[in-house]
């Protein structure tokens, strides 16, 4: 069996996962990073994308992971995301509705820059959720 390590995922909603895993792949603000057992100490800010967690038994689980911090310290890995939604828990209808609302808002030629940035962020979050659920854009995986 492959080497494993202890992963803890704690979002603003509470403990999302704690246990042994083989690896986690997620998007940071500098690009995608994969953490394997015996990874060097490391800390970075998390971006927006699909996190892929390979569990101790080799099965992969996906989650929409948006914002926060990743810490690897002495073999302990902590993911502290602003938002973490396991793919099976994503409300696809709600994400599609949010995507449509954001797209509609972005059609407004009179939007000021701040409103445009907020609408673009809402659109991207909806696309991440849809992609993580298997109902969206592959390039966000």
């Amino acid at each position: 069996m492959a080497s494993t390590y202890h992963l803890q995922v704690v979002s603003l909603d509470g403990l999302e996962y704690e246990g042994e895993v083989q690896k986690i792949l997620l998007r940071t603000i500098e690009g995608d990073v994969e953490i394997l057992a015996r990874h060097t100490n490391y800390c970075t800010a998390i971006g927006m994308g699909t996190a892929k967690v390979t569990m101790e038994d080799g099965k992969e689980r996906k989650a929409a992971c948006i914002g926060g911090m990743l810490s690897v310290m002495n073999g302990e890995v902590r993911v502290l995301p602003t938002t973490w939604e396991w793919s099976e828990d994503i409300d696809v209808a709600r994400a599609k509705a949010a995507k449509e609302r954001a797209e509609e808002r972005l059609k407004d030629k009179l939007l000021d820059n701040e409103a445009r940035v907020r609408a673009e962020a809402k659109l991207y979050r909806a696309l991440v959720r849809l992609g993580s659920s298997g109902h969206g854009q592959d390039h966000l995986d």
Side-chain angles (χ1 to χ4, degrees), residues 1-9 17 19-27 33-39 50-63 70 72 75-79 84 86:
M1 178 182 252
S3 295
T4 63
Y5 59 88
H6 188 80
L7 172 68
Q8 185 179 60
V9 179
Y17 178 79
E20 294 296 306
V21 300
Q22 291 182 24
K23 61 185 174 181
I24 184 171
L25 172 76
L26 52 76
R27 176 125 337 132
V33 65
E34 185 172 62
I35 307 296
L36 302 170
R38 296 181 297 282
H39 196 284
T50 299
K52 297 176 183 175
V53 181
T54 303
M55 310 309 270
E56 187 173 22
D57 64 5
K59 291 183 180 158
E60 184 180 86
R61 288 185 75 190
K62 292 182 181 181
L70 165 69
V72 180
E76 292 278 322
V77 179
R78 288 184 183 85
V79 179
W84 180 276
W86 289 109

Side-chain angles (χ1 to χ4, degrees), residues 45-46 66 78 95 97 102 104 112 116 130:
I46 297 170
I66 300 172
R78 288 184 183 85
E104 199 58 39
D112 64 36
R116 183 165 300 284
L130 290 169

